[in-house]
PDB file of all heavy atoms in Angstrom:
ATOM      1  N   HIS A1451      76.615  73.199 184.188  1.00 96.00           N
ATOM      2  CA  HIS A1451      77.437  72.036 183.866  1.00 96.00           C
ATOM      3  C   HIS A1451      76.646  70.739 183.924  1.00 96.00           C
ATOM      4  O   HIS A1451      77.224  69.657 183.772  1.00 96.00           O
ATOM      5  CB  HIS A1451      78.640  71.957 184.806  1.00 96.00           C
ATOM      6  CG  HIS A1451      79.706  72.957 184.463  1.00 96.00           C
ATOM      7  ND1 HIS A1451      80.880  73.077 185.183  1.00 96.00           N
ATOM      8  CD2 HIS A1451      79.779  73.883 183.470  1.00 96.00           C
ATOM      9  CE1 HIS A1451      81.625  74.034 184.643  1.00 96.00           C
ATOM     10  NE2 HIS A1451      80.974  74.537 183.622  1.00 96.00           N
ATOM     11  N   ARG A1452      75.329  70.839 184.164  1.00 95.00           N
ATOM     12  CA  ARG A1452      74.488  69.637 184.190  1.00 95.00           C
ATOM     13  C   ARG A1452      73.346  69.737 183.184  1.00 95.00           C
ATOM     14  O   ARG A1452      72.362  69.011 183.286  1.00 95.00           O
ATOM     15  CB  ARG A1452      73.909  69.417 185.591  1.00 95.00           C
ATOM     16  CG  ARG A1452      74.944  69.232 186.677  1.00 95.00           C
ATOM     17  CD  ARG A1452      74.281  69.049 188.036  1.00 95.00           C
ATOM     18  NE  ARG A1452      75.244  69.131 189.130  1.00 95.00           N
ATOM     19  CZ  ARG A1452      74.911  69.209 190.413  1.00 95.00           C
ATOM     20  NH1 ARG A1452      73.614  69.202 190.752  1.00 95.00           N
ATOM     21  NH2 ARG A1452      75.833  69.291 191.353  1.00 95.00           N
ATOM     22  N   GLY A1453      73.470  70.633 182.248  1.00 96.00           N
ATOM     23  CA  GLY A1453      72.434  70.798 181.247  1.00 96.00           C
ATOM     24  C   GLY A1453      71.970  72.234 181.140  1.00 96.00           C
ATOM     25  O   GLY A1453      72.604  73.167 181.657  1.00 96.00           O
ATOM     26  N   ILE A1454      70.848  72.413 180.453  1.00 97.00           N
ATOM     27  CA  ILE A1454      70.206  73.717 180.286  1.00 97.00           C
ATOM     28  C   ILE A1454      68.897  73.656 181.061  1.00 97.00           C
ATOM     29  O   ILE A1454      68.086  72.755 180.859  1.00 97.00           O
ATOM     30  CB  ILE A1454      69.952  74.027 178.801  1.00 97.00           C
ATOM     31  CG1 ILE A1454      71.276  74.036 178.032  1.00 97.00           C
ATOM     32  CG2 ILE A1454      69.234  75.357 178.637  1.00 97.00           C
ATOM     33  CD1 ILE A1454      71.112  74.090 176.525  1.00 97.00           C
ATOM     34  N   HIS A1455      68.680  74.621 181.955  1.00 95.00           N
ATOM     35  CA  HIS A1455      67.549  74.565 182.872  1.00 95.00           C
ATOM     36  C   HIS A1455      66.605  75.741 182.599  1.00 95.00           C
ATOM     37  O   HIS A1455      67.045  76.890 182.512  1.00 95.00           O
ATOM     38  CB  HIS A1455      68.035  74.609 184.317  1.00 95.00           C
ATOM     39  CG  HIS A1455      69.231  73.742 184.569  1.00 95.00           C
ATOM     40  ND1 HIS A1455      69.163  72.365 184.600  1.00 95.00           N
ATOM     41  CD2 HIS A1455      70.545  74.059 184.788  1.00 95.00           C
ATOM     42  CE1 HIS A1455      70.373  71.870 184.832  1.00 95.00           C
ATOM     43  NE2 HIS A1455      71.222  72.875 184.943  1.00 95.00           N
ATOM     44  N   CYS A1456      65.322  75.440 182.503  1.00 94.00           N
ATOM     45  CA  CYS A1456      64.301  76.454 182.253  1.00 94.00           C
ATOM     46  C   CYS A1456      63.456  76.619 183.515  1.00 94.00           C
ATOM     47  O   CYS A1456      62.955  75.637 184.070  1.00 94.00           O
ATOM     48  CB  CYS A1456      63.425  76.010 181.075  1.00 94.00           C
ATOM     49  SG  CYS A1456      62.036  77.099 180.728  1.00 94.00           S
ATOM     50  N   VAL A1457      63.295  77.869 183.968  1.00 93.00           N
ATOM     51  CA  VAL A1457      62.538  78.116 185.197  1.00 93.00           C
ATOM     52  C   VAL A1457      61.722  79.389 185.034  1.00 93.00           C
ATOM     53  O   VAL A1457      62.168  80.355 184.403  1.00 93.00           O
ATOM     54  CB  VAL A1457      63.494  78.217 186.413  1.00 93.00           C
ATOM     55  CG1 VAL A1457      64.481  79.342 186.251  1.00 93.00           C
ATOM     56  CG2 VAL A1457      62.724  78.360 187.718  1.00 93.00           C
ATOM     57  N   GLY A1458      60.518  79.400 185.578  1.00 91.00           N
ATOM     58  CA  GLY A1458      59.648  80.566 185.498  1.00 91.00           C
ATOM     59  C   GLY A1458      60.168  81.707 186.357  1.00 91.00           C
ATOM     60  O   GLY A1458      60.549  81.501 187.512  1.00 91.00           O
ATOM     61  N   ILE A1459      60.179  82.913 185.799  1.00 94.00           N
ATOM     62  CA  ILE A1459      60.639  84.071 186.559  1.00 94.00           C
ATOM     63  C   ILE A1459      59.723  84.314 187.753  1.00 94.00           C
ATOM     64  O   ILE A1459      60.181  84.635 188.855  1.00 94.00           O
ATOM     65  CB  ILE A1459      60.701  85.311 185.648  1.00 94.00           C
ATOM     66  CG1 ILE A1459      61.729  85.105 184.540  1.00 94.00           C
ATOM     67  CG2 ILE A1459      61.049  86.567 186.454  1.00 94.00           C
ATOM     68  CD1 ILE A1459      61.752  86.215 183.513  1.00 94.00           C
ATOM     69  N   SER A1460      58.419  84.149 187.556  1.00 92.00           N
ATOM     70  CA  SER A1460      57.482  84.359 188.663  1.00 92.00           C
ATOM     71  C   SER A1460      57.724  83.350 189.779  1.00 92.00           C
ATOM     72  O   SER A1460      57.581  83.663 190.965  1.00 92.00           O
ATOM     73  CB  SER A1460      56.040  84.270 188.174  1.00 92.00           C
ATOM     74  OG  SER A1460      55.764  82.981 187.636  1.00 92.00           O
ATOM     75  N   ASN A1461      58.111  82.122 189.410  1.00 90.00           N
ATOM     76  CA  ASN A1461      58.427  81.114 190.413  1.00 90.00           C
ATOM     77  C   ASN A1461      59.652  81.537 191.228  1.00 90.00           C
ATOM     78  O   ASN A1461      59.676  81.419 192.460  1.00 90.00           O
ATOM     79  CB  ASN A1461      58.676  79.783 189.719  1.00 90.00           C
ATOM     80  CG  ASN A1461      58.879  78.617 190.664  1.00 90.00           C
ATOM     81  OD1 ASN A1461      59.380  77.572 190.257  1.00 90.00           O
ATOM     82  ND2 ASN A1461      58.504  78.748 191.930  1.00 90.00           N
ATOM     83  N   LEU A1462      60.679  82.068 190.567  1.00 94.00           N
ATOM     84  CA  LEU A1462      61.864  82.552 191.262  1.00 94.00           C
ATOM     85  C   LEU A1462      61.511  83.679 192.232  1.00 94.00           C
ATOM     86  O   LEU A1462      61.941  83.685 193.397  1.00 94.00           O
ATOM     87  CB  LEU A1462      62.897  83.043 190.253  1.00 94.00           C
ATOM     88  CG  LEU A1462      63.616  81.983 189.417  1.00 94.00           C
ATOM     89  CD1 LEU A1462      64.330  82.628 188.244  1.00 94.00           C
ATOM     90  CD2 LEU A1462      64.602  81.193 190.266  1.00 94.00           C
ATOM     91  N   LEU A1463      60.707  84.624 191.745  1.00 94.00           N
ATOM     92  CA  LEU A1463      60.365  85.769 192.587  1.00 94.00           C
ATOM     93  C   LEU A1463      59.474  85.370 193.754  1.00 94.00           C
ATOM     94  O   LEU A1463      59.587  85.933 194.848  1.00 94.00           O
ATOM     95  CB  LEU A1463      59.699  86.851 191.742  1.00 94.00           C
ATOM     96  CG  LEU A1463      60.569  87.455 190.631  1.00 94.00           C
ATOM     97  CD1 LEU A1463      59.813  88.551 189.905  1.00 94.00           C
ATOM     98  CD2 LEU A1463      61.878  87.983 191.181  1.00 94.00           C
ATOM     99  N   ASP A1464      58.583  84.408 193.538  1.00 92.00           N
ATOM    100  CA  ASP A1464      57.729  83.934 194.641  1.00 92.00           C
ATOM    101  C   ASP A1464      58.577  83.326 195.754  1.00 92.00           C
ATOM    102  O   ASP A1464      58.296  83.522 196.944  1.00 92.00           O
ATOM    103  CB  ASP A1464      56.723  82.908 194.129  1.00 92.00           C
ATOM    104  CG  ASP A1464      55.545  83.554 193.413  1.00 92.00           C
ATOM    105  OD1 ASP A1464      55.389  84.783 193.530  1.00 92.00           O
ATOM    106  OD2 ASP A1464      54.801  82.832 192.722  1.00 92.00           O
ATOM    107  N   VAL A1465      59.605  82.583 195.390  1.00 93.00           N
ATOM    108  CA  VAL A1465      60.483  82.010 196.409  1.00 93.00           C
ATOM    109  C   VAL A1465      61.230  83.115 197.144  1.00 93.00           C
ATOM    110  O   VAL A1465      61.343  83.108 198.373  1.00 93.00           O
ATOM    111  CB  VAL A1465      61.464  81.009 195.758  1.00 93.00           C
ATOM    112  CG1 VAL A1465      62.526  80.573 196.760  1.00 93.00           C
ATOM    113  CG2 VAL A1465      60.713  79.795 195.229  1.00 93.00           C
ATOM    114  N   ALA A1466      61.726  84.111 196.402  1.00 94.00           N
ATOM    115  CA  ALA A1466      62.464  85.209 197.026  1.00 94.00           C
ATOM    116  C   ALA A1466      61.590  86.005 197.986  1.00 94.00           C
ATOM    117  O   ALA A1466      62.076  86.523 199.000  1.00 94.00           O
ATOM    118  CB  ALA A1466      63.031  86.125 195.948  1.00 94.00           C
ATOM    119  N   ARG A1467      60.291  86.107 197.698  1.00 93.00           N
ATOM    120  CA  ARG A1467      59.374  86.891 198.530  1.00 93.00           C
ATOM    121  C   ARG A1467      58.670  86.051 199.586  1.00 93.00           C
ATOM    122  O   ARG A1467      57.790  86.543 200.285  1.00 93.00           O
ATOM    123  CB  ARG A1467      58.334  87.558 197.630  1.00 93.00           C
ATOM    124  CG  ARG A1467      58.944  88.594 196.674  1.00 93.00           C
ATOM    125  CD  ARG A1467      57.997  88.938 195.556  1.00 93.00           C
ATOM    126  NE  ARG A1467      58.597  89.890 194.613  1.00 93.00           N
ATOM    127  CZ  ARG A1467      58.113  90.154 193.397  1.00 93.00           C
ATOM    128  NH1 ARG A1467      57.018  89.513 192.994  1.00 93.00           N
ATOM    129  NH2 ARG A1467      58.713  91.014 192.610  1.00 93.00           N
ATOM    130  N   GLY A1468      59.024  84.782 199.693  1.00 91.00           N
ATOM    131  CA  GLY A1468      58.437  83.929 200.707  1.00 91.00           C
ATOM    132  C   GLY A1468      57.072  83.395 200.362  1.00 91.00           C
ATOM    133  O   GLY A1468      56.397  82.815 201.220  1.00 91.00           O
ATOM    134  N   LYS A1469      56.632  83.534 199.101  1.00 87.00           N
ATOM    135  CA  LYS A1469      55.314  83.034 198.705  1.00 87.00           C
ATOM    136  C   LYS A1469      55.354  81.576 198.252  1.00 87.00           C
ATOM    137  O   LYS A1469      54.311  80.949 198.086  1.00 87.00           O
ATOM    138  CB  LYS A1469      54.746  83.905 197.580  1.00 87.00           C
ATOM    139  CG  LYS A1469      54.487  85.353 197.987  1.00 87.00           C
ATOM    140  CD  LYS A1469      53.911  86.135 196.816  1.00 87.00           C
ATOM    141  CE  LYS A1469      53.633  87.582 197.208  1.00 87.00           C
ATOM    142  NZ  LYS A1469      53.085  88.359 196.056  1.00 87.00           N
ATOM    143  N   ALA A1470      56.533  81.053 197.996  1.00 83.00           N
ATOM    144  CA  ALA A1470      56.698  79.658 197.606  1.00 83.00           C
ATOM    145  C   ALA A1470      57.985  79.141 198.229  1.00 83.00           C
ATOM    146  O   ALA A1470      58.898  79.916 198.535  1.00 83.00           O
ATOM    147  CB  ALA A1470      56.743  79.510 196.086  1.00 83.00           C
TER     148      ALA A1470
END
Side-chain angles (χ1 to χ4, degrees):
H1451 284 179
R1452 300 179 191 169
I1454 300 170
H1455 317 288
C1456 175
V1457 60
I1459 297 174
S1460 61
N1461 186 196
L1462 288 166
L1463 297 182
D1464 282 347
V1465 171
R1467 295 164 182 165
K1469 296 181 179 179

